[in-house]
Amino acid sequence: MKIVVAYKWTRDPEEATARPDGTVDWSRAKPGLSTYDPVAIEVARQLAAETGAELIGVTVGDKGVGTPLACKAALGRGLDRVVIVEDGSLADAGRSELAAVLAEVIKHIGDVDLVVTGDSSMDVAAKMVPTVLAGELGWPAVAEVTSVAGKAGALRVGREVPGGAQVLEISGPAVLATSADAAAPRVPGMKDLLAAGKKPVEHLDLAALKVSPQN
């Protein structure tokens, strides 16, 4: 079983400041994992531990998403390896382009049974990429996920719905967006970070993925 966690390495808009001329100064905004992505990694990590699945992190974006610091921040939370697309042309990419690139990376990995994402990204917070990604893959998408159990082909997914909770049985691959409080993310220790530096990191060329132009 292969589980992919799509995460984002980005700057926190709350640390940016507005200049007198109306432009935004990002110089003091430090990059990091998007707020809810550690929750997604923890949910996926727990499922991987139960099923013996390989846990693969995937991120796409501007220059900087593939630095050693960025890789260790993700790998230190329990991922087995990461696959990265780092390209300056993705600096201002919209949700459709990001989803299209993510879909091609997932196809490149092959035989992926499940994709898990955070609730939303801290810089855009549109909650749209998981749904668009599912559309690109032709898979169902489930949002507000609070729990995942079972194995490939027989997953039981709990989710929040207005006024209560719902349990779904999923028999094929799917994209799951976790709720903001689905799990308590563990904080990587020094041992985790040292181990992260020895885990595999694969860099893919954006041009080689042959992503279709997005409107």
Side-chain angles (χ1 to χ4, degrees), residues 35-83:
T35 306
Y36 301 118
D37 289 348
V39 176
I41 294 174
E42 182 61 23
V43 169
R45 189 192 67 79
Q46 292 177 9
L47 180 62
E50 293 171 2
T51 61
E54 182 182 18
L55 188 59
I56 307 162
V58 168
T59 190
V60 305
D62 192 12
K63 296 293 184 180
V65 301
T67 63
L69 174 64
C71 293
K72 286 183 179 180
L75 287 165
R77 292 183 176 274
L79 300 174
D80 295 317
R81 61 185 173 104
V82 292
V83 184

Side-chain angles (χ1 to χ4, degrees), residues 140-151:
V142 182
E144 300 296 338
V145 170
T146 57
S147 64
V148 188
K151 58 184 179 180

